[in-house]
Amino acid sequence: MQDLKVTLVQSDLYWQSITANLAMFEEQLWSIDGDTDLVLLPEMFSTGFSMDAERLAEPMNFTTFRWMKQMAEQVQAVVAGSFIVKEEQKYYNRLVWMNPNGTYDMYDKKHLFTLAREHECFEPGQERLISTVKGWKVCPMICYDLRFPVWARNGYDEAKQCMEYDLLCYIASWPSFRINAWDILLKGRAVENMAYTIGVNRIGEDGNDIPYNGHSAAIGPKGDTIFFADDKSTVTTVTLKADDLMQYRGKYPFYKDADAFSLG
């Protein structure tokens, strides 16, 4: 593992306008100062958090997917974010992890937000994704997943003598009136999983008059705040220290005392 540079893109979104959002994010990605390894965009970054799946959904290898492929190649970094995908007559809130060489991984949101009736519009994912970049194992998740620690549980592989992942990421549309939970849970996930944890949230107000105030953050494995954004638009790159993570896990191997269980 080498040190990992991660760019957090916290932005307002144009409501249900794929063209406008992709144009805006293209400018923001070109504004990244210096090189980076991973760029994180908010949940449903091309439309806003909308339940109008039938009208807004795209098949894979269409506009938003191709844009991500182009951007990853141009900035020479992984670009990750979720958008509305239609596949075999079903709809998914799907995170695409796009590599600079055009290969990609996918994660479909597991925990659908019932208060917004997301479960009535989308199919839930069934499997976690752990992908790699620059020697780091990264587990990306989406918004409401943050409230469910079992889904994010970082296991220990006895055979390989290492933990399942090193960085946990949440991309979100997390409203301002519940932002205190977001702040607390990001730190909780970092501490309990002994991993760097990053959350990228949006700002502004959506078409349902729901306000968002950002609070995107990068948290160290001890719960220390490496970066915190308030409610302003920002494109910020943080450097995660591989040696710091390995030394901390080596000195305090709490994961070896964790309760054994598996998801049914």
Side-chain angles (χ1 to χ4, degrees):
M1 288 172 59
Q2 307 172 51
D3 291 348
L4 186 71
K5 294 184 178 181
V6 184
T7 301
L8 295 74
V9 183
Q10 176 175 286
S11 177
D12 197 351
L13 300 177
Y14 292 98
W15 182 242
Q16 298 184 343
S17 178
I18 295 173
T19 301
N21 284 310
L22 297 187
M24 174 190 66
F25 279 116
E26 183 167 351
E27 289 187 8
Q28 292 182 335
L29 265 60
W30 276 111
S31 76
I32 295 173
D33 186 15
D35 61 340
T36 187
D37 302 305
L38 170 60
V39 178
L40 295 173
L41 305 174
E43 178 183 22
M44 291 193 187
F45 69 90
S46 61
T47 60
F49 187 61
S50 173
M51 298 303 104
D52 194 357
E54 185 175 355
R55 184 170 65 88
L56 297 172
E58 303 175 53
M60 293 293 285
N61 200 30
F62 204 62
T63 303
T64 301
F65 178 91
R66 292 180 180 180
W67 178 89
M68 294 183 74
K69 186 175 182 179
Q70 178 184 2
M71 289 298 100
E73 180 182 12
Q74 289 181 359
V75 300
Q76 280 299 293
V78 173
V79 175
S82 86
F83 61 99
I84 303 172
V85 172
K86 182 178 182 180
E87 193 171 78
E88 297 181 351
Q89 305 307 311
K90 294 181 180 180
Y91 302 103
Y92 299 88
N93 183 350
R94 176 168 293 173
L95 181 147
V96 170
W97 176 278
M98 183 64 70
N99 295 302
N101 65 1
T103 62
Y104 64 94
D105 292 314
M106 304 180 303
Y107 167 70
D108 294 328
K109 187 178 183 180
K110 165 70 172 176
H111 298 93
L112 302 176
F113 191 51
T114 54
L115 290 180
R117 297 185 176 180
E118 188 179 13
H119 65 299
E120 296 178 6
C121 304
F122 297 92
E123 293 292 318
Q126 300 299 325
E127 296 182 2
R128 294 195 317 185
L129 170 65
I130 297 178
S131 197
T132 59
V133 55
K134 211 173 180 179
W136 289 65
K137 298 184 293 294
V138 184
C139 181
M141 295 191 175
I142 303 174
C143 202
Y144 195 40
D145 287 331
L146 178 62
R147 287 189 177 270
F148 304 95
V150 172
W151 188 237
R153 172 70 175 270
N154 197 1
Y156 180 70
D157 189 324
E158 288 284 356
K160 297 180 180 179
Q161 293 289 294
C162 66
M163 301 193 76
E164 289 182 326
Y165 64 78
D166 309 300
L167 170 61
L168 179 63
C169 300
Y170 292 93
I171 60 170
S173 292
W174 196 285
S176 59
F177 36 80
R178 291 191 294 273
I179 203 65
N180 191 47
W182 166 265
D183 295 337
I184 292 169
L185 293 174
L186 281 177
K187 290 195 171 187
R189 297 294 88 82
V191 171
E192 69 196 10
N193 292 302
M194 301 190 74
Y196 284 102
T197 300
I198 289 179
V200 173
N201 193 27
R202 63 160 294 180
I203 58 173
E205 190 172 281
D206 68 17
N208 294 316
D209 300 323
I210 296 174
Y212 303 87
N213 63 338
H215 285 218
S216 298
I219 310 297
K222 295 182 287 186
D224 49 310
T225 300
I226 299 168
F227 168 76
F228 176 82
D230 51 19
D231 60 352
K232 302 296 189 297
S233 178
T234 184
V235 179
T236 302
T237 301
V238 298
T239 300
L240 308 183
K241 300 291 186 179
D243 285 348
D244 289 354
L245 178 62
M246 294 300 102
Q247 289 174 12
Y248 178 64
R249 287 176 172 175
K251 186 175 182 180
Y252 301 104
F254 301 133
Y255 51 86
K256 292 185 178 180
D257 298 324
D259 301 308
F261 73 96
S262 60
L263 292 172

